[in-house]
Amino acid sequence: MPSVYYVRTDGTVAAADKSPDAFGPPEDPGGADRCLDETTFNACSGANAFAAGDAVTFSSLGGDFTTELVIPSAGGELPVFYVPNVGDNSVLLTVAAGTALTNARSDITIGSAIAGNVMTITTAGANGINLSTATQANVIIRNVTVTAASYGIVSAQVLTTVTVEDFTTTAALYGVYFYQTVFSSNSSDATIRRGTITTGAIGLQYFDNVTVEDITIVNVSGGSTSGVLQLISCVGDVVIRRVSAAADNVDVIMPGIAVNTSTLDSLLIEDCTILDGSAAIQFLDGTCPSGGWGVIRRCLTSNHTLAGVQ
């Protein structure tokens, strides 16, 4: 049967004793003695690996977490990972350098399913959350606030299906940057929704199908100069709706929405607000979707420019 495990930064349970000693509850008195700490959580592999359907609940009652979380990748089928509200509305993960949270698992949810229960992740290093291993499938990241030097949520790996939702990022280059280096042999779908990029851009490369909706991009000064929302060499169907890119001090060569269109089956852009940049919407290769149709409707721009559209 699946189990729910608890983690506090002052937890005392050894990995070998996590069943049933780390079943919580994490509240005091004695809560630390019913929880793992983050270092022990990182080491739960082999005979101590989590089982399919398990959930891991992080509690702020022992204090803030300051060690990089590396979601264990060893074991059989993979667990679901939650960070819900336990004694506080947020869990704080603050590391001095390096990546704050690394995941190599498929079939995983990082973040609470409960609205308002937020994991706040801060690092002075380059990456906030890194999806580090190729061919991760069914990854959901939700209800997180991420601050990092360069990339909020990032991956250079093939991601079969990935969703990022209900999030806020602050990073100098990209809030969300999934730059797959090759096309996936399987369906490779990305959904980015209900988010705020306070500094940075969104970049997606080599996905089959993409949905980006209900996104506010506040400021991209100092970020990429290729567009506040960039879709590079994607195929299949792309839907972009309710994206606001009211960027401050945006580089003059930067378009608002930049899309390689020649490889797409279809493109829908609607209800977007682009208030800066040299082009509101730019088709980088200057052609229409190969599937034969594209629609742009109900979009507000400050310069009324559609660059490279045929």
Side-chain angles (χ1 to χ4, degrees), residues 136-157:
Q136 293 181 50
N138 304 319
V139 175
I140 299 173
I141 300 171
R142 59 159 63 117
N143 284 320
V144 294
T145 295
V146 183
T147 300
S150 299
Y151 304 98
I153 304 169
V154 64
S155 180
Q157 306 297 332

Side-chain angles (χ1 to χ4, degrees), residues 58-145:
F58 280 69
S59 169
S60 60
L61 293 176
D64 296 345
F65 295 91
T66 58
T67 299
E68 176 188 355
L69 295 182
V70 182
I71 298 175
S73 59
E77 294 183 61
L78 303 176
V80 177
F81 173 92
Y82 292 105
V83 189
N85 178 15
V86 179
D88 195 349
N89 284 332
S90 65
V91 173
L92 301 181
L93 168 61
T94 303
V95 299
T99 299
L101 190 153
T102 298
N103 175 63
R105 286 187 175 274
S106 294
D107 302 308
I108 189 166
T109 298
I110 300 172
S112 175
I114 303 172
N117 294 345
V118 177
M119 188 174 199
T120 300
I121 297 172
T122 303
T123 178
N127 303 327
I129 297 175
N130 181 27
L131 306 181
S132 62
T133 301
T135 321
Q136 293 181 50
N138 304 319
V139 175
I140 299 173
I141 300 171
R142 59 159 63 117
N143 284 320
V144 294
T145 295

Side-chain angles (χ1 to χ4, degrees), residues 262-286:
S262 62
T263 55
L264 298 181
D265 290 335
S266 66
L267 173 66
L268 171 62
I269 302 176
E270 64 181 4
D271 300 311
C272 293
T273 301
I274 312 296
L275 295 182
D276 211 338
S278 61
I281 300 170
Q282 183 175 33
F283 294 174
L284 297 176
D285 38 17

Side-chain angles (χ1 to χ4, degrees), residues 7 35 103 122 134 155-156 165 176 181 198 213 230 250 252 280 282 294 302:
V7 181
C35 298
N103 175 63
T122 303
S155 180
E165 60 188 9
V176 179
T181 55
T198 60
E213 58 188 4
Q230 308 157 34
V250 68
V252 295
Q282 183 175 33
S302 60

Side-chain angles (χ1 to χ4, degrees), residues 183 203-207 226 230-234 258-260 263 284:
F183 279 113
L204 304 173
Q205 178 169 281
Y206 288 157
F207 282 91
S226 299
Q230 308 157 34
L231 274 62
I232 308 301
S233 299
C234 295
V259 185
N260 278 124
T263 55
L284 297 176

Side-chain angles (χ1 to χ4, degrees), residues 210-240:
V210 172
T211 298
V212 179
E213 58 188 4
D214 299 304
I215 300 294
T216 298
I217 301 174
V218 178
N219 190 341
V220 292
S221 60
S224 167
T225 58
S226 299
V228 296
L229 171 59
Q230 308 157 34
L231 274 62
I232 308 301
S233 299
C234 295
V235 300
D237 302 316
V238 168
V239 175
I240 302 169

